[in-house]
Amino acid sequence: MFGKLLNHTQKGQVVTLHYEKQTVYLHVLTDRIINVFVPFYTKEHRSKAIDGSKEQEVSFTLQEMTPSEGTSGSGYIMLTTPSLSCRIHDDFKLDFYGKDGTLLCADYRGSRSPRFILSESALELIRQEGHDVNMAGSTDYPVQCVKVLDKEDCIYGLGDKTGVLNKRHYEYENWNSDIPDPHEDSFKSLYKSIPFFITLKQKGVYGIFYDNTFKSYFNFGKENDGYYSFGSDSGNLDYYFIGGNTMPDIVAGYTYLTGRMPLPQKWTLGYHQSRWGYDSEETFRDIAGKLKSSRIPCDAIHFDIDYMERYKVFTWDTTRFADAKTLLSDFKKQGIKAVTIIDPGVKVEKDYPMYEEGIAADYYAKTPDGETYVNAVWPGDAVYPDFGNPAVRKWWGEHLRFYTELGVAGVWNDMNEPASFNGPLPDDVVFTDEDRPSSHAEIHNVYGHNMAKATYEGWKNLTGKRPFVITRACYSGSQKYATAWTGDNQSLWTHLRMAIPQQCNLGLSGMPFIGTDIGGFGADTTPELMARWVQVGCFSPLFRNHCAKGCMNQEPWLFGEEVLSIYRRYVELRYSLLPYFYDLCRVCEQTGLPVIRPLVLHYEDDTNVRNMNDEFLVGESLLVAPVVEQGATKRLVYLPKGIWYDYWTHREYQGGQYYIVDAPLDVCPIFVKAGAIIPKAPAQMYTDEISNPELILDVWPGDGSYVHYQDNGEDFAYRDGAYNEYLFENKGSNNLDIRKLHEGYTDYPEIKVNYIPGI
Ligand code: MIG
């Protein structure tokens, strides 16, 4: 590709490789992370995902290796850090090795050879009948990289893609897309672009973060089983090789680069009720009332686009809401917070302040001719704030005062792919990338990311609290600003099934605070589907029932007594587990490990879990094996090595094998790892109903230790030490040791220890 390696130079931790046709930079960031940068598009290296320098001082060596006697190979440069090495060959072939010398990731040398190719005329014929055939063979992109795929390799991550957990044999695209059709396995892109994946080998593991915001393509061995590729329409070839000993190391490395989710406010982990179509003060009061009378604990009700005056952001319709401020303060008295949707599209309308101000300040995207670019979304003709411009982010952030003053507690950013009703935005629409003009082609995949950043920063300045921002569109690093939901799923069993691998892969991709619309957004749910969905949804960090206007309502009380009581049981389960969820968020802030985890994250040597699509872990201690098949009342459960206990019956199971377990409609099979200590809260109708409740510790048979975290659940005082941290050690035989690791917050009035006997 680039010819012979002529020479190399080193400056600090950057190694410059001079090839015949191209200069390439290798930046050794840490002993495990190396950035490979080929400046096709810009000379300067910059990232939308990574803030600041990530370089740590590493001592590494560069050795010139001469070809060994009697072999036909040529020499190479060997770069060695304390944890890995990279062999740098002619023609820009880089091979990464683990510390012990195992080859982890090699550039592919052979010629491309697609598994299936049909001639254009054959394709033409098949398409006549309306089939959408996509067998064009291999595709070369202006920017690309092709790497060897070994027989046993599995691939995980890549954000919110549809389909199964292990992405091997599939192809995807990164182009944030709002497509209302049912999200099927064959969808190439959804709302988020997270160009990070983990390759788990028979022996060894590594990650690749391909930091390119243009439309990108990933083919994980679909084209040919012997290699995989990633590439883009434009931009730089800019990727990070991330090494480590285990999958959690790789996730830690990726989140070290792109950032970790900051601790959320505690109430955000409660239950949220939503629907597109709640459109008047009476409706909202009615919903809040029914939540109480049905005894469904709830922390938030969401206000979808119907609260606005003709879909104008930063307005509140005063004909359908006589007094929003009073409504919100009444909600507050009942422990219910309001979350409002805010779309990016600003209505083109004379005398509408958002529009006028933005036009005057030149804050909207432009056509190449310098006219304000107009497309359409909910309010009709609309303009697009240029969130890549720091001044626009600041302006938008300050306007959020409209919401904070009304008493709104969180913001939900939708339509920020950005979506458009009058056809897609042309590639050449002019946006800004911080201090230089950019194009829609380059900005599209970070539009939502920049909007979330504007919202996060604005909200933080206005309130001093940990901002609660939900976003639909994301890029790598959005976890620093926002939680996300998986967009417009449907009330389909296949979508309930998909929720598991989709959330697991989002978690592996650095995005831990996620959830699906419980019950399904589009289409109409059934009582059984609702009952099964809440059993999965109550483990999603973002726990929200939401559905579309035009679909049957799906509040929990609409499906009869049986489903209501099942629903309540799982919302109550979630509320009892809130301290555990909050601890997991703290772990995430510190290590990048997600809340919902695929089994393979902790049992990577167990080949039984590499393709596990219907079970997941919540932290390390809980294993959830929900029923996701219509009509099923039993299911096959695989438990990895160790001893596990049934959460409900306390029955003991030996891991490393399959079991058939009973799962009538009201039972979601949950297993607890031996020795686990699970912190719990007493029953409440919302998170801070009891101001300083006691802590309950469920202590399961076996040995184990657990770190528990406690703070005010609201602001940033914990960063100055205002928190408690406890170490609990389960020594078996009803013997629990409690120690304080850090003291800086009000103590629990009581810690109740609940030793659970195994059966
Ligand atoms: O195109 O605001 O995904 O959650 O209810 C529909 C209305 C626009 C899409 C979001 C959905 C929301 C809906 N929005």
Side-chain angles (χ1 to χ4, degrees):
M1 172 184 200
F2 298 157
K4 276 204 165 322
L5 178 60
L6 303 176
N7 59 64
H8 66 277
T9 53
Q10 184 189 343
K11 195 168 170 227
Q13 290 181 194
V14 180
V15 179
T16 306
L17 308 171
H18 297 282
Y19 283 99
E20 280 173 314
K21 295 182 210 154
Q22 179 70 49
T23 302
V24 172
Y25 303 90
L26 297 192
H27 190 167
V28 182
L29 291 172
T30 73
D31 62 331
R32 291 177 169 174
I33 305 179
I34 296 178
N35 174 239
V36 179
F37 179 62
V38 186
F40 288 139
Y41 179 68
T42 52
K43 281 214 175 64
E44 151 218 23
H45 182 265
R46 54 159 89 189
S47 172
K48 298 259 71 65
I50 302 174
D51 287 346
S53 166
K54 294 293 166 183
E55 186 187 284
Q56 293 172 5
E57 207 180 302
V58 186
S59 65
F60 65 94
T61 57
L62 283 173
Q63 265 174 291
E64 287 197 34
M65 311 296 279
T66 45
S68 44
E69 294 276 332
T71 66
S72 56
S74 54
Y76 59 91
I77 311 286
M78 175 107 154
L79 186 163
T80 310
T81 78
S83 305
L84 56 86
S85 64
C86 174
R87 295 189 190 176
I88 305 160
H89 294 268
D90 281 343
D91 213 25
F92 187 46
K93 298 292 182 238
L94 306 179
D95 301 329
F96 293 89
Y97 290 77
K99 192 178 175 171
D100 60 358
T102 331
L103 176 58
L104 292 172
C105 171
D107 274 323
Y108 180 70
R109 267 88 168 166
S111 52
R112 301 274 285 267
S113 113
R115 279 195 283 198
F116 311 102
I117 315 181
L118 283 181
S119 66
E120 257 319 304
S121 57
L123 285 173
E124 223 12 79
L125 194 71
I126 300 169
R127 285 181 185 134
Q128 275 176 21
E129 207 199 332
H131 293 288
D132 178 18
V133 200
N134 176 22
M135 274 195 195
S138 67
T139 317
D140 272 315
Y141 300 103
V143 182
Q144 70 178 1
C145 203
V146 186
K147 295 194 182 286
V148 171
L149 201 49
D150 284 332
K151 192 160 174 285
E152 308 293 338
D153 292 357
C154 297
I155 298 186
Y156 305 101
L158 212 66
D160 69 342
K161 302 306 185 209
T162 58
V164 292
L165 182 70
N166 174 5
K167 300 306 189 193
R168 184 180 181 140
H169 300 304
Y170 291 88
E171 64 176 328
Y172 298 96
E173 289 175 10
N174 271 356
W175 186 252
N176 291 354
S177 302
D178 170 28
I179 303 169
D181 303 338
H183 303 156
E184 287 169 357
D185 288 8
S186 56
F187 261 53
K188 294 210 178 100
S189 19
L190 287 179
Y191 310 90
K192 300 168 185 63
S193 289
I194 306 188
F196 165 67
F197 57 88
I198 301 172
T199 305
L200 178 63
K201 310 185 72 67
Q202 189 166 33
K203 185 164 176 279
V205 60
Y206 66 87
I208 292 209
F209 169 39
Y210 173 48
D211 194 5
N212 181 312
T213 67
F214 287 87
K215 188 170 191 184
S216 303
Y217 308 85
F218 300 81
N219 191 308
F220 292 133
K222 178 175 173 181
E223 178 181 318
N224 181 300
D225 211 25
Y227 58 82
Y228 70 89
S229 64
F230 52 92
S232 306
D233 286 344
S234 182
N236 297 314
L237 180 58
D238 183 357
Y239 73 88
Y240 297 77
F241 176 86
I242 304 168
N245 299 324
T246 61
M247 271 178 87
D249 288 348
I250 309 302
V251 175
Y254 170 71
T255 53
Y256 165 74
L257 287 175
T258 60
R260 293 176 182 149
M261 170 189 75
L263 202 57
Q265 289 191 61
K266 211 167 188 178
W267 67 266
T268 65
L269 294 169
Y271 175 71
H272 303 238
Q273 181 64 48
S274 183
R275 174 178 171 82
W276 173 20
Y278 294 161
D279 62 359
S280 68
E281 192 167 327
E282 297 70 66
T283 314
F284 279 94
R285 288 191 188 276
D286 180 52
I287 295 296
K290 291 218 172 82
L291 283 160
K292 298 284 172 204
S293 60
S294 316
R295 288 184 296 109
I296 299 288
C298 179
D299 268 274
I301 298 183
H302 289 222
F303 289 71
D304 205 326
I305 49 175
D306 308 287
Y307 77 85
M308 295 180 235
E309 182 207 325
R310 290 178 297 126
Y311 305 126
K312 281 151 65 184
V313 288
F314 301 87
T315 69
W316 206 298
D317 187 298
T318 47
T319 54
R320 286 173 288 113
F321 296 84
D323 181 2
K325 201 166 183 166
T326 309
L327 172 67
L328 267 46
S329 85
D330 288 350
F331 270 12
K332 202 170 169 193
K333 288 177 206 142
Q334 304 167 49
I336 290 177
K337 309 267 197 302
V339 174
T340 48
I341 202 166
I342 305 180
D343 290 351
V346 171
K347 185 175 178 62
V348 174
E349 187 178 87
K350 208 168 164 309
D351 298 331
Y352 165 36
M354 278 313 277
Y355 174 71
E356 297 279 6
E357 268 180 44
I359 289 287
D362 230 0
Y363 284 167
Y364 296 113
K366 301 227 155 145
T367 68
D369 301 334
E371 303 288 317
T372 300
Y373 174 77
V374 180
N375 201 307
V377 273
W378 292 107
D381 280 355
V383 290
Y384 291 79
D386 186 7
F387 291 113
N389 174 351
V392 176
R393 290 200 296 271
K394 188 155 176 278
W395 168 70
W396 191 266
E398 282 164 358
H399 270 284
L400 294 172
R401 184 182 296 279
F402 171 79
Y403 294 94
T404 56
E405 281 181 349
L406 283 171
V408 171
V411 175
W412 164 23
N413 285 159
D414 186 22
M415 307 290 279
N416 52 356
E417 292 68 36
S420 50
F421 294 171
N422 282 343
L425 279 69
D427 280 352
D428 61 0
V429 171
V430 183
F431 286 86
T432 307
D433 176 22
E434 305 302 316
D435 51 4
R436 61 173 174 138
S438 180
S439 61
H440 176 240
E442 183 179 11
I443 286 293
H444 180 86
N445 283 340
V446 290
Y447 190 78
H449 175 85
N450 281 332
M451 184 187 191
K453 183 174 180 175
T455 311
Y456 180 88
E457 286 168 355
W459 203 265
K460 189 174 173 189
N461 285 338
L462 288 167
T463 65
K465 291 189 182 162
R466 306 171 199 165
F468 181 55
V469 181
I470 310 177
T471 181
R472 193 169 70 176
C474 290
Y475 184 67
S476 286
S478 298
Q479 66 270 16
K480 296 190 288 279
Y481 318 120
T483 146
W485 90 108
T486 56
D488 298 347
N489 61 0
Q490 302 213 359
S491 304
L492 304 170
W493 286 92
T494 49
H495 281 189
L496 173 57
R497 282 195 282 278
M498 182 174 76
I500 299 170
Q502 194 177 23
Q503 294 185 96
C504 284
N505 276 324
L506 271 162
L508 293 178
S509 311
M511 237 13 249
F513 200 157
I514 32 144
T516 61
D517 285 348
I518 290 163
F521 177 75
D524 298 319
T525 198
T526 65
E528 185 188 357
L529 183 57
M530 199 69 220
R532 290 308 190 184
W533 210 310
V534 73
Q535 296 173 12
V536 175
C538 72
F539 295 103
S540 292
L542 181 62
F543 181 21
R544 183 181 76 159
N545 175 329
H546 179 57
C547 73
K549 202 172 195 163
C551 296
M552 254 162 56
N553 274 64
Q554 57 189 37
E555 291 79 27
W557 48 86
L558 295 174
F559 303 91
E561 253 322 302
E562 188 193 6
V563 172
L564 175 59
S565 75
I566 292 171
Y567 203 96
R568 188 185 303 116
R569 179 183 195 192
Y570 288 90
V571 179
E572 285 173 350
L573 172 69
R574 168 60 169 255
Y575 274 78
S576 74
L577 289 172
L578 278 176
Y580 183 62
F581 274 88
Y582 195 58
D583 281 343
L584 288 172
C585 291
R586 173 67 172 172
V587 168
C588 187
E589 182 179 48
Q590 293 177 322
T591 66
L593 281 183
V595 177
I596 292 191
R597 307 175 184 174
L599 273 60
V600 68
L601 183 61
H602 290 299
Y603 302 92
E604 62 190 61
D605 294 333
D606 184 343
T607 50
N608 290 316
V609 302
R610 292 191 168 191
N611 291 293
M612 182 66 79
N613 290 299
D614 62 356
E615 297 179 20
F616 58 94
L617 296 167
V618 180
E620 267 196 83
S621 302
L622 296 182
L623 184 154
V624 184
V627 170
V628 290
E629 297 294 334
Q630 190 272 334
T633 51
K634 290 184 191 299
R635 66 155 287 174
L636 190 65
V637 174
Y638 178 75
L639 296 172
K641 69 173 185 240
I643 291 173
W644 296 85
Y645 294 91
D646 182 306
Y647 181 84
W648 307 107
T649 65
H650 307 173
R651 185 181 148 189
E652 182 182 311
Y653 288 87
Q654 187 66 48
Q657 49 187 300
Y658 290 88
Y659 294 93
I660 293 172
V661 302
D662 281 329
L665 192 60
D666 62 336
V667 173
C668 172
I670 304 168
F671 299 86
V672 188
K673 200 175 163 183
I677 300 161
I678 311 278
K680 292 171 118 180
Q684 299 179 85
M685 286 299 284
Y686 53 94
T687 44
D688 49 5
E689 189 182 21
I690 307 173
S691 74
N692 183 19
E694 77 264 20
L695 184 72
I696 302 161
L697 293 179
D698 277 2
V699 178
W700 292 79
D703 303 334
S705 66
Y706 184 87
V707 175
H708 172 62
Y709 176 85
Q710 178 203 20
D711 68 9
N712 71 17
E714 202 173 276
D715 58 25
F716 291 92
Y718 74 102
R719 297 204 174 158
D720 301 318
Y723 66 91
N724 288 334
E725 204 168 55
Y726 304 81
L727 175 67
F728 303 133
E729 277 180 289
N730 183 359
K731 305 204 152 138
S733 332
N734 296 358
N735 186 350
L736 185 81
D737 215 46
I738 301 184
R739 261 200 301 145
K740 268 247 178 94
L741 297 177
H742 181 93
E743 171 120 37
Y745 187 67
T746 329
D747 264 321
Y748 285 108
E750 191 189 347
I751 296 181
K752 280 191 193 147
V753 181
N754 186 15
Y755 293 105
I756 299 188
I759 293 173

